[in-house]
Amino acid sequence: MKGSGLVIAVVAARLLALARRYLRDEVASREVVRNVLVHALRDRSTGDAAARSDLRLRERTLERALCELERRPPHASLRIDDLLPHFRADDTHARTPRAWPATVRPPARARLLLRHADRLPEPHRTVWMLGDADGMDAGWIARRLAISERDVKQRLHEARLALRTLLDAELREEIEASRTCSPLQQPRP
């Protein structure tokens, strides 16, 4: 029995991390995970093996977190139009975005992206989280959010552009800091 308790604790921790990313609220996240696990245990007692799979638990957690988000008042955020890149009359960038510096490792990139994703308008944030952060396909997102796949792809594209704008200032600071370091002070690639 200790083994199954450990498995439940590990699965619950993963589901809780997933719910926290969307809800940004500990109490609501715990309630979502509790409900998902209670339903999974109830389904287990009725013999529904598919209800116990990790993927199904993950999907149920996402669905319940999205339902919770729909019930909430809109999150105060920036307008997407203010975050999209601006272009000159000749179709060139008004301000050329920077590339990722080599010193920013993938785990640090993920933390930066998640931190800045909280500033996106809610429809774009949700689509970006589902598509890029959690790897759900456009069809699943469209069905779940009751929008067209075209709208999913458009919001995802706009969210990526907005994140690039939000990250640009931070990347410029990172590049400037790496230029002012002596070769001995620079982080290893």
Side-chain angles (χ1 to χ4, degrees), residues 42-122:
R42 186 182 65 209
D43 292 345
R44 178 179 176 212
S45 67
T46 63
D48 186 1
R52 296 189 311 254
S53 74
D54 284 347
L55 180 59
R56 183 65 186 130
L57 291 173
R58 191 170 178 268
E59 284 180 356
R60 281 187 174 179
T61 302
L62 281 173
E63 288 169 359
R64 291 195 181 257
L66 292 173
C67 286
E68 176 66 26
L69 282 176
E70 289 170 2
R71 284 194 288 264
R72 292 181 177 183
H75 176 67
S77 59
L78 301 171
R79 291 177 10 153
I80 195 69
D81 292 337
D82 297 337
L83 299 173
L84 297 177
H86 299 285
F87 296 92
R88 295 186 190 108
D90 63 355
D91 288 335
T92 60
H93 281 277
R95 184 173 184 173
T96 306
R98 299 289 179 144
W100 285 99
T103 58
V104 180
R105 301 256 188 250
R109 287 182 190 183
R111 285 190 299 275
L112 274 172
L113 286 169
L114 288 172
R115 188 174 74 228
H116 286 289
D118 280 342
R119 296 177 62 198
L120 294 173
E122 196 54 53

Side-chain angles (χ1 to χ4, degrees), residues 8 15-16 84 148:
I8 290 172
L15 297 177
L16 186 58
L84 297 177
S148 69

